[in-house]
Amino acid sequence: MSSSKINPIERELVTNRFRSLVLEMGDYLQRTSLSTNIKERMDFSCGMLDENCQLIVNAPHIPVHLGALGLFAEKVTEILPLNSGDVAISNHPAFGGSHLPDITLIAPVDFEGKRLGYLANRAHHAELGGRNPGSLVPDATSLKDEGVVIHPFKLVENGEANWKKMSEVLSSARYPTRALEENIADLRAQLASINKGTETLINLAKELGTDHLKVLMEEILRDADERLQKIWKSMDGKSFSAEEKMDQGFSIKVSIEVKKNKACFDFSGTTGIHQGNLNATPAIVQSAVLYVLRIMTDHEVPPLPLNSGLLRSVSFKLPGNTFLNPDKDPDEYPAVMGGNVEVSQRLVDTLIKAFELGACSQGTMNNFVFGNDSFGMYETICGGAGATENGDGASAVHTNMTNTKITDPEILERRFPVRIKEFSIRKNSGGKGKYKGGDGVIREFEFLEPVTISVMAEHRKEVPYGMKGGEPGTVGKQFINRNNEWDEIDGSTSMTLETGDRFKIETPGGGGFGSAKD
Amino acid sequence: MSKNIPWKIAVDTGGTFTDCIAQSPDGEWKTCKVLSSGTLRGVIESKVSNKSWKIKESWKTVDDLPVGFNVRVLGTEEVVAKVTHFDANNSILSIDAKNIEKLKPDTEFELDANLEAPVLAAHLITDTPAKDQLPKIHMRLATTRATNALLERKGHPPILFITKGFGDLLHIGNQTRPYLFSLDIKKPEPYPELVVEVEERLDASGNVVLELNEARLRESLKNIPNKKRKTAAVVFLHSYLNSDHENRTAEILKSEGFEYVSVSSELSPMIRVLERAQTTVVNAYLEPIINAYLDCVFEQIGERSLESFTIMTSAGGLRSRSEYFAKDSLLSGPAGGIVGATFSGKAGDSPRCISFDMGGTSTDVARIEGVYPYVSEHTVGDAHLLSPAFEIHTVAAGGGSICRVEQGHLLVGPESAGSWPGPACYGAGGPLSITDVNLLLGRLLPELFEIPINLDRAREAAENELAKMTDKSVGLYELLEGFIALANLKMANAIRQISVQKGYNPKEYGMISFGGAGSQHACGVAEQLGITKVLIPANASLLSAEGLIQSRLERIITRQILRPLSDFDKERPQVLNEMQTDAFDALKHEGVTENRIEISTRMIDVRLSGQDSFITLNFDETTDLELEFRKEFNRIYGYDAPNRKLEIVQIRIVSAEKVSKENAYQQKELPNVSSIFPDRKNVYSQDGEATVPVWKLDDIKHESKSGPCLVAGHKTVIWVEQDWAAAINESLQLVLTKAITGGES
């Protein structure tokens, strides 16, 4: 127990002011951004880091951004030292990125010649090039297939923004962006958000003193570390392990060992690099682990803060050359889109299984894209949640690493040549048990113009596991109807359909918990 | 007294208290406050005779008002007697003989006659004994009856009729989970008890793809027993473009015995079937409740006395009973507060103002730009409604918010001590709450409370929390200050959401503070936001009822356009004309003559094509919409709008009854301040302990006083912080101003 000089009441008030700072950055970003994805779906996060790139406060709206800004800051400042007045940009998975559409900006904040820390934000740009709209390219084999790759560079150098270079990068890729104007507007919003945060952070330093501010930042990390250590201590000597397989047979292996007040997450034994797009990145692995830590400790009051302090008592053994960490030269990086949306979900399933927190949820985002030369639409579709020891799993809901809204049927039909025939709960698709798994959904489209469709989904072959005697959930299926006959199609595929053809998807149910006989 | 002029009575029924403001036929203004349970409470003081007792009460009423009321010992069900006579001057209550041995000195008792609170308030304020006929009145009502039924899920579950294929729409919702970090996902349970899928279909232009299958509909009704045919909701896809199928279905349902049928295209003819369905189902769920309540008030007042009966909507306008939908009542109380705040801002020379209404469990804030802050959709509990309202942001911080220490961290709320057991100082075993903290810091006076206050209990509760602090260097007052600072941060953040986030700088606004707990926090919250002027209206504790008096009959006509500006501009005169005619007709239908109707607001929602969010502009026939949009875009976004086409989303037009200025409510004199308050008080702040003056309103009428000090007003005490000064303005509002210190400005 350390006897810090910091008054806990001051720490509390400063933590709240730091949180206000990043929330304010988020407000600025949301207000000044142009795209629906950022403005309405709030697919972004803002963070404040100390001078050592330790994440102090972070306001993520979706779990897949959890803690990732810390890793990004570390990797980018390593190769691109930043001076006051600089802002660096990148979306590269080799530098703490998750997938290409997530673009991150980071800027150092100095005051009176001393570095206070960094401010960063990450926002999902709905269109950023790639062979298909929305970066969903089920048959991609390299990162460049998926869109514009932005190697870390200084978007702003010494206060001077280089929009010319930015536009060039966005338009000169193998598959350039289809929405340059919107990208630039959203990047301006990201920059405005950083500038706003900088102003506030400098005011805080003026008020509290630079050195004192740094002491407070360290105190916030120390407190988070101390609280997580206490939790590990209560699990001292325990070990956990689990394995889950992707539909294509790729295996995620994890073993977790808790010793004294530390835990090591070891992913040895995980399958090698995926030739397609099912590759995760270290940032995604870290986000998945932080997410699971957060749900494991949700009963804690107040909740554990999601900062780098939590990573002091957690170590990773994440071997390279695996589909969780391709660890390739940045120029030869494999495709990662499926890693971000699908492997991330299955990774969480594996961790939940290891800690026996509950039965498996649908474990996929059921990515579905349809479009033609005149339009493109990407949606992710809900399914069943796994049951836990506390009760039945919820039906028709997004679980774990995503939580994005589905477009209203009337808006969808107004904007696109499509008719929704059915959107209903897939009854009895959840696994039986003392507590039942949640049911998936059935969603059926009729197309009013010829379209190309793409699906990318998991749990089509592997069943969502039950827990402690509960039965597994039902796997997902998808069908097309060309001549009044339904044909089942693969869970990872693209094809063209004609006017009047239909597509139907049945999403997986969650697993049950406990034996039904209990 | 001129017998022919009716009383004007405005009643705001809240969760615990019902506030009432009235204007007598002579033009005199009166106020009263009763319990929302419709009961009168008092305490037995001494026995006068076998059947009469001297009592303590604060009813301020005439002789014999409660004759015929049942007498109960507080907290029990048994009727121990009935009131036979009441001598108001001497507070002597006479009762008939029953179990009068239960009535001893110090017994708290309750009187009731099953009167709804607004009716009891009307009797009290008009000095009419309950058994007598009320004089003629114009009744205006705001009520939380439907809101409570919604939040407590005590409405009447409807049967939902919806397009085939979408029976699970409400269950699926927008597919998100409400809370990110739990495997035990709790989705809100839909309100309908049964869903019937109906064979019919329109396309996205409103054309019929599949005719309504009436035979099949009638067939499915056979499974619904008569006793379940009470309230129904009808929601078909794209019905906002073509209501034929919905209307026909409603006809069939009514002919088949349904008492209430809520039709989505009538309630909110707007795109987005999920939200339209939620709106319709909530209306169907609450319609039987609000109707029963209004019927009851109507009958108890009596048709002979009711000159008019209008009800407040969530958008701050009155509607007559027959035109009133349940879905419009959910924010009627807070909307009254916003109307009151808007008038207060104008009267206090701060037309652009932030209303700050800090109550027991939560704080409501709104940004007022000299005109009402209209929005076209709003959320109440887990229901999202496509229905006009005021933009009001609520945060779970109030006087009752629980303050505690967990793992070395300070927490304020969101849980509240509620009215039972209440804050620790009520002595009923309640937890430390913001009210206790203010009392202990000396910013609240125990004399203010109508119940005895136990400061020792508050101190014990605070010391218990202090003991949980692992760092022993922290002092009690430092901890209490910390709780206040955290609560202020929370409330300031709520105000940032409605100002900074939308591109408005709170520094440019005045603050209107009202509600039970606002007076202790107004300076602190204003300080966080750089606000330098706070107005506290004379009727701060009844501002919602005051707003009700100031509000008027209004109608909002909304038309969805969803077309490019270039197309729309050609038709603008015609569309506006049609909408204005509709807006006039709606009020004429309520009996207002044409020369007394005006169009008060014209709003148009414009966006860049392809964007979801829009900018609302006030406009008329000649406004250059392109120019105004680009100006506003630049202000909000900080850069010029991309050169894309503009789309018109919708137009909203508000028609209102003209009100003559003479009739407007005006505060004529400073309210009475009780003489029980001390002259000085010990308070604690960052600067340590100090003894500060407690001014009465009259003391500062001609001379402003600087903080730190307390100002005792009518049923409220205002904490004036260091560097702030308190004065009274011409509108008899208390004005708190932050002194501009030298150096930076």
Side-chain angles (χ1 to χ4, degrees), chain A residues 44-112:
Chain A
F44 64 80
S45 60
C46 298
M48 183 182 97
L49 305 100
D50 71 4
E51 56 184 322
N52 304 314
C53 297
Q54 298 285 297
L55 190 60
I56 306 290
V57 199
N58 153 226
H61 297 286
I62 56 166
V64 83
H65 286 180
L66 280 183
L69 292 175
L71 201 62
F72 178 89
E74 238 172 78
K75 295 269 187 196
V76 168
T77 55
E78 207 171 90
I79 60 150
L80 200 65
L82 297 174
N83 301 315
S84 180
D86 294 347
V87 182
I89 183 170
S90 180
N91 64 349
H92 204 301
F95 298 96
S98 44
H99 63 160
L100 296 181
D102 279 338
I103 302 183
T104 310
L105 264 58
I106 183 167
V109 182
D110 293 4
F111 179 61
E112 290 175 341

Side-chain angles (χ1 to χ4, degrees), chain B residues 361-479:
Chain B
T361 55
S362 63
T363 298
D364 289 339
V365 298
R367 179 175 47 82
I368 297 163
E369 299 288 332
V371 292
Y372 296 147
Y374 290 114
V375 282
S376 49
E377 46 191 283
H378 62 290
T379 302
V380 180
D382 54 35
H384 190 83
L385 305 177
L386 281 183
S387 185
F390 283 157
E391 181 169 23
I392 301 172
H393 190 78
T394 303
V395 61
S401 287
I402 296 173
C403 301
R404 59 198 211 276
V405 173
E406 299 278 355
Q407 308 213 30
H409 292 262
L410 277 63
L411 296 173
V412 177
E415 300 83 2
S416 167
S419 48
W420 181 262
C425 63
Y426 286 11
L432 183 72
S433 71
I434 287 291
T435 300
D436 297 310
V437 173
N438 276 312
L439 271 169
L440 293 170
L441 290 171
R443 298 172 188 186
L444 244 184
L445 299 174
E447 291 84 354
L448 194 66
F449 293 80
E450 283 174 4
I451 57 168
I453 287 304
N454 194 328
L455 266 177
D456 291 341
R457 284 284 129 74
R459 187 164 294 111
E460 279 163 29
E463 274 161 3
N464 282 342
E465 296 306 320
L466 184 68
K468 290 199 248 160
M469 218 67 221
T470 37
D471 185 326
K472 296 300 173 200
S473 69
V474 176
L476 182 65
Y477 291 104
E478 207 179 349
L479 177 70

Side-chain angles (χ1 to χ4, degrees), chain B residues 598-663:
Chain B
E598 62 182 356
I599 300 292
S600 68
T601 315
R602 292 180 189 83
M603 292 169 286
I604 187 160
D605 299 333
V606 189
R607 66 183 167 203
L608 291 173
S609 66
Q611 247 195 328
D612 276 351
S613 63
F614 52 75
I615 293 175
T616 300
L617 304 168
N618 286 301
F619 81 118
D620 60 27
E621 289 84 349
T622 57
T623 309
D624 183 339
L625 291 172
E626 179 95 32
L627 184 78
E628 291 302 316
F629 174 84
R630 292 193 182 274
K631 254 203 255 169
E632 189 63 4
F633 186 99
N634 188 287
R635 193 188 64 72
I636 296 173
Y637 288 69
Y639 52 87
D640 288 337
N643 206 11
R644 279 199 224 160
K645 275 194 172 171
L646 301 189
E647 186 189 34
I648 306 300
V649 183
Q650 60 184 2
I651 299 177
R652 290 171 282 161
I653 285 190
V654 187
S655 60
E657 180 191 18
K658 286 185 202 161
V659 179
S660 53
K661 290 248 156 50
E662 313 79 85
N663 282 344

Side-chain angles (χ1 to χ4, degrees), chain A residues 332-368:
Chain A
E332 291 164 25
Y333 220 77
V336 296
M337 182 68 190
N340 188 63
V341 291
E342 293 298 296
V343 181
S344 68
Q345 287 286 49
R346 299 293 290 119
L347 189 54
V348 169
D349 294 344
T350 315
L351 292 163
I352 286 173
K353 189 178 184 183
F355 287 115
E356 298 189 334
L357 301 176
C360 195
S361 292
Q362 75 156 342
T364 173
M365 299 189 193
N366 300 299
N367 308 275
F368 178 57

Side-chain angles (χ1 to χ4, degrees), chain B residues 542-612:
Chain B
L542 307 152
L543 198 69
S544 186
E546 190 179 310
L548 208 50
I549 279 285
Q550 288 152 327
S551 60
R552 47 194 185 157
L553 281 173
E554 278 179 5
R555 274 315 179 83
I556 301 182
I557 303 290
T558 305
R559 192 185 286 190
Q560 191 157 274
I561 308 288
L562 297 176
R563 294 176 54 200
L565 171 64
S566 46
D567 284 13
F568 166 75
D569 244 356
K570 288 173 225 139
E571 298 156 18
R572 172 153 40 147
Q574 194 199 330
V575 171
L576 269 180
N577 219 339
E578 283 171 20
M579 290 186 70
Q580 268 161 223
T581 308
D582 287 352
F584 267 74
D585 286 351
L587 281 187
K588 281 197 254 173
H589 192 71
E590 300 217 20
V592 187
T593 50
E594 176 136 9
N595 60 353
R596 284 182 46 235
I597 302 174
E598 62 182 356
I599 300 292
S600 68
T601 315
R602 292 180 189 83
M603 292 169 286
I604 187 160
D605 299 333
V606 189
R607 66 183 167 203
L608 291 173
S609 66
Q611 247 195 328
D612 276 351

